[in-house]
Amino acid sequence: MKRLTREVESPRDLGVEFVKVPDGATIELDLRLESVMEGVLVTGTARAPLTGECVRCLEPLDQRVEADFQEMFSYPDADERGRPVAEPGEDDEETYLLEGDLFDLEPVLRDAVVLALPLQPVCRADCPGLCPDCGAKLADEPDHRHDDAVDIRWAALQDLAETMKDGEQDNEPRTDGDDSQEK
């Protein structure tokens, strides 16, 4: 067993559309390499900076991601050492192979980091976002309101509420004597 700590440059396009690790950023790796019968078992943690924007207020993010991973890198001739050989199409797992004393960690790192990214990144947990009417940042203006704005779907109820304020009652008989509820 061997422990390693390395800093590597991030590969291109490590992330998704709205949050990612910047190209060329430094990724800190803590690795544990264990020799096993079939190859080398690599267990590790990757830490990297994130760039993107908050999904609520669209402010730039300044966060870090931490991703744990574990993968087996097999010797190319491991099947000859007694491990059962899978029939073609029977084993759908991706197999990573050692090339001499080297292994390519990028696909494993890419899978681990992308899966560890937040689905909806926010600048802080209680971010109030933007005003849906005017786009003002609600964190800067906590008392922000639009009293005169009425949603078109509620306009009829708004009119009814205004007539109720004027003193008109729904259950009062009509002045012309024709009360439809008594018929």
Side-chain angles (χ1 to χ4, degrees), residues 19-166:
V19 63
K20 67 178 191 166
V21 176
D23 295 343
T26 300
I27 299 177
E28 301 166 7
L29 296 173
D30 292 326
L31 301 174
R32 178 179 171 176
L33 310 174
E34 295 178 77
S35 177
V36 293
M37 193 71 148
E38 295 85 16
V40 176
L41 179 65
V42 178
T43 306
T45 302
R47 289 175 208 80
L50 291 180
T51 60
E53 55 187 33
C54 176
V55 296
R56 295 181 188 162
C57 68
L58 306 178
E59 287 294 313
L61 291 177
D62 184 25
Q63 297 178 352
R64 295 185 61 79
V65 64
E66 184 171 309
D68 295 324
F69 56 90
Q70 184 174 46
E71 193 61 56
M72 170 66 79
F73 288 87
S74 300
Y75 296 117
D77 59 349
D79 291 334
E80 297 170 8
R81 296 181 183 194
R83 190 175 70 169
V85 178
E87 294 296 320
E90 184 179 304
D91 189 12
D92 291 337
E93 284 187 32
E94 190 169 352
T95 304
Y96 298 103
L97 298 177
L98 287 168
E99 297 175 15
D101 290 340
L102 304 175
F103 56 88
D104 184 11
L105 193 59
E106 182 180 339
V108 175
L109 184 64
R110 184 175 297 279
D111 290 346
V113 169
V114 170
L115 288 174
L117 294 175
L119 293 176
Q120 295 187 337
V122 291
C123 57
R124 60 180 209 247
D126 63 341
C127 176
L130 302 175
C131 174
D133 295 323
C134 68
K137 188 174 175 185
L138 297 176
D140 294 342
E141 302 177 37
D143 296 329
H144 182 81
R145 301 179 52 137
H146 293 279
D147 292 331
D148 56 344
V150 177
D151 188 341
I152 190 72
R153 296 170 291 184
W154 298 99
L157 288 177
Q158 180 76 17
D159 292 341
L160 179 63
E162 287 174 8
T163 59
M164 296 293 284
K165 287 180 188 175
D166 293 338

